[in-house]
Amino acid sequence: MATTQSSSSASTTNIMLAIFEKKTVTLDLYRPLRQYISFAYSEREAQNLEDDLQTLRDLRSDLENPTKQPTPSARRDLLQSYFRALCVIETRFPISPDRDHINSVTFTWYDAFKQKQKAAQQNIYLEKAAVLFNLGAVYSQIGLGYDRSSVEGRRQAVQAFIGAAGAFAYLRDNAATKASIGTSTTLDVSVECAGMLERLMLAQAQECVFENTIAKGSTPGVCAKISRQVGLYYEESSAALSVAPLSQHFDRAWIAHVQLKAALFYVEACYRYGIELHEKEEIAEEIARLRSGINALIEAKKNSKGAAAQLLDALSKLEANINRNLERAVKENDRVYLMRVPSPGSLPPLPAFSMVKPLAMNEVLDASKEKLFASLVPDSSAKALSRYTEMVDDVIRTQAEKLQQGSELTRVRLKEMDLPDSLLALEGHFTLSADLKEDVEAVQISGGPAGLEAELQQLKDLRHVNQELLVQTEELLQKESREDAQFRSQFGTRWTRPQSSTLTKNMQDRLNRFAGNLKQAAESDAKIERSVREHSSLMSILDRRPIESALPTLARPIMSLDANEDAIVGILKQSLRQLETLGAQRAGLEDMLKEMKRKDDILPKLMTSMGSYEDLFRKELSKYDHICEDIARNIEAQEQLLIQIQALNDDFSAIFNLEDYKVSREKCYKQIEAAIAKYREIKENVNEGLKFYVTLQDAITNVKQQCSDYVMTRNIQCREMIEDVQRSMAGLSFQDKNSGSYNSGYPPVSQHPHQRSTPPPPAAGQNMQQTPIYQHPDQPSPSTGYNYNHPPYGSAQQQVPPPPYQVSSTPSYVHPQPQQHPPASHEYGQPAYPGWRGPYYNAPPAQQPGPYPPPPYTAPGPYPPHSQTGYYRPQVGLEFVDPVGFFPGLYSFDYVIARVLLLT
């Protein structure tokens, strides 16, 4: 029936009760459930659920043998797991005497207090009720097992006892009624018994709290309140035990224990409360309370037959203490206070305070996350669930549309009234549209109008660099032409190589066209500079930081007749805040709808429902009615508030002359938009100019490289031709000397007459290092990077013809073999501004630094992206067919540049 254990406290020695578990008989759930799965679903499904069936068999087997669990805590966990499994079975397996159901399963359980009585039912309700009863019993055993002589032990006992109370409360509310409907039942799982046991467990939990209160020395008043609540819980249990059907079901010792505990803690409360009254010198009430306690003790002793000796001993000690205090109080009142003592029946009830409540078992016993038999859903239940889901979705969709329409209506109406922007403008908080603010920020990030001057200077610098490159290239060709003319005049008809003007005509034409391009580009630069100057005042607004500071302000009226503008502004702000609150409520209502749908799982009810699905649907859909009503009230309140705001805004507009402010604000917006458009146009033109100059610089650099190669090749030819001419003239002088008829005016070549004047050509890739016989002072040395095997010109359209003369049978001039560009050390291969690389630039091989240092800037990217208008129109690719020019914008290349880029 029950076990007891004593525990010592500061005031008394008490014992408590623990409950034995119900017993059952062996039952095999595996075979009947497997047969049902195979018949109702398929054999394959039964095979797939083999593990779940085996798990259920093991749980039931462990339940039948309590000795398999080594501790009460392990037994508690087993009971909780098995109960969750029973919840799953209830929703998927129809266990009943019906022919189409599982009718071979009979659950049999014995009464915990009258073990000869038993109940047997062919439904799962008795099984669930018995498991819940045993769970409460195990919790009570855990609580009784703690050492309550320590503070921590008593705290742990409190948690165990409130767990037992929670299990019995769950049994009373969810399973007792269904279990009592069957033809065979036991009283221990009835509603009356479960309620009595819940109060008993709460009494013992509160008693542990009282023991801790005494141990830590709380005030007598606090101890009295907690003690009184212990007595109340015991009195409720005693009342349930004193009437049918429980009065004849429990042993006399049980009833005596509960009654004596109720009296004991009532007297304890009187004793503690009397101490507090004595401290307050309320002697008369103290005497009355102590006498009331004495009367309760006398009555309790009459019904104490069968009670434990420790409990009777505690009662006797308490009686001695209360008599001693009563005698002292009576003497003091007779000698000092002389107060009239009220009768005990006229006193108000003693104050009580509960420190415990039943543990909520909903989460502990929730089976929604159980994986057992998760794949089994009856077809009828699945179809009904689908229909219910559609109905819920329709409700949520309708209400969500109402909420969205309400929010959209608010947004449109406020925009029409220019709220809250006009209020923000009054307070100095100006706003721009998101798109316009983004455009202004992009302009400011790219440098803004103030940065255009630096970019114009970049254009000037690049134009100057290109002009310098042109001048240097022309000087190379002019210098070589003068030298050729000098030697042609000196040697006369012996100087048989082609004239420079014939060979360089193509390159001169290219340089002339480059000069024309630069002239046209200079005109474009001047147009851009004029545009910047002309529109600087317009674009200056873009340099305001923040840009909102450029917007007009909404000022208060200079004169006010009734001085009510502040009141109107205040009410308008308050109304807007209320409107915002309604909007937040709508968002919360929509979230509540979605959350309710997420948690709305009626599948267990559908699977166990025996009536009409439509009735169940109406009942379940009624859960959403209160939210629908809240939504309707929210929409109606918003409509009324918008009408109020409209009237207030009309007054606000009239007082603050809002229409004039809107006109000036729109004018400022248009000015900002016009400034952005003009800035983008100028910026695009500048970027096109930068790309133009970078591309032109690359083209001029390539032509300069070709001119340099041409000059170096002509120098080598010149040296070899001088040697040939001198050798020829030396031969004539030798003949004249022998004949005494001729003497040359040229100095003799210091070389053996039979030795070749020209060294053999070097191997491929080797540079020519021989010092020329003649070299102009300003002519670069061939050793500065010239490659002997480099082609005489960089152009594929013009080749130098071979020399029209021979010496003996061996040519005195060896034509260089074709090879790639000169080595990297050649100074003419270095672009003037190696840092500039536009999208049309193909990087040449790495070269040594040229004679011009790189500028302290780099070409910026295009702004804005994908722009197609402006002064500059950059080319994409190099497929040119126009022999005159291919840039139709202000900056234009001619066909020569295209040919240079293609050939190089």
Side-chain angles (χ1 to χ4, degrees), residues 752-820:
H752 195 276
H754 300 290
Q755 185 178 2
R756 288 175 58 97
S757 63
T758 303
Q766 183 179 354
N767 292 339
M768 174 64 70
Q769 301 295 334
Q770 181 179 357
T771 303
I773 296 176
Y774 173 82
Q775 180 174 341
H776 193 277
D778 297 330
Q779 177 66 34
S781 174
S783 64
T784 60
Y786 171 73
N787 192 311
Y788 188 82
N789 292 327
H790 195 281
Y793 313 110
S795 175
Q797 282 76 16
Q798 186 73 31
Q799 299 290 343
V800 179
Y805 47 82
Q806 303 284 340
V807 177
S808 302
S809 60
T810 305
S812 60
Y813 167 69
V814 180
H815 195 284
Q817 298 297 324
Q819 193 179 336
Q820 302 297 324

Side-chain angles (χ1 to χ4, degrees), residues 548-581:
E548 288 81 5
S549 62
L551 297 177
T553 58
L554 180 62
R556 292 178 175 271
I558 299 176
M559 296 181 63
S560 178
L561 298 179
D562 51 5
N564 65 340
E565 59 270 11
D566 290 335
I568 292 178
V569 171
I571 298 174
L572 188 57
K573 288 181 179 180
Q574 182 180 2
S575 300
L576 290 176
R577 285 193 292 269
Q578 293 175 0
L579 195 64
E580 185 178 357
T581 302

Side-chain angles (χ1 to χ4, degrees), residues 151-222:
V151 174
E152 185 60 30
R154 288 189 289 268
R155 288 177 180 173
Q156 292 175 341
V158 169
Q159 296 301 317
F161 286 132
I162 65 175
F168 289 122
Y170 196 87
L171 167 63
R172 179 196 61 205
D173 298 335
N174 298 277
T177 302
K178 294 180 180 179
S180 301
I181 294 176
T183 57
S184 177
T185 184
T186 54
L187 191 59
D188 56 351
V189 293
S190 64
V191 174
E192 296 81 2
C193 185
M196 183 275 296
L197 294 175
E198 175 204 2
R199 311 317 285 178
L200 177 61
M201 294 298 108
L202 287 177
Q204 296 190 157
Q206 181 85 3
E207 186 176 349
C208 294
V209 174
F210 172 74
E211 292 174 355
N212 261 344
T213 305
I214 294 297
K216 63 183 181 181
S218 298
T219 61
V222 173

Side-chain angles (χ1 to χ4, degrees), residues 582-599:
L582 290 176
Q585 290 177 358
R586 287 196 299 275
L589 290 172
E590 187 172 2
D591 292 340
M592 287 176 61
L593 280 173
K594 295 177 180 178
E595 182 66 15
M596 283 190 65
K597 180 192 173 184
R598 187 183 68 82
K599 295 181 177 180

Side-chain angles (χ1 to χ4, degrees), residues 6 11 53 92 162 169 221 265 279 313 422 441 497 502 536 573-574 637 670 772 802 814 842 873 876:
S6 63
S11 62
L53 291 168
R92 289 163 175 80
I162 65 175
F265 280 95
E279 293 174 354
D313 183 58
S422 57
E441 290 177 350
R497 71 173 182 173
T502 303
S536 60
K573 288 181 179 180
Q574 182 180 2
K670 292 180 179 179
V814 180
N842 295 325
R873 301 180 184 176
V876 180

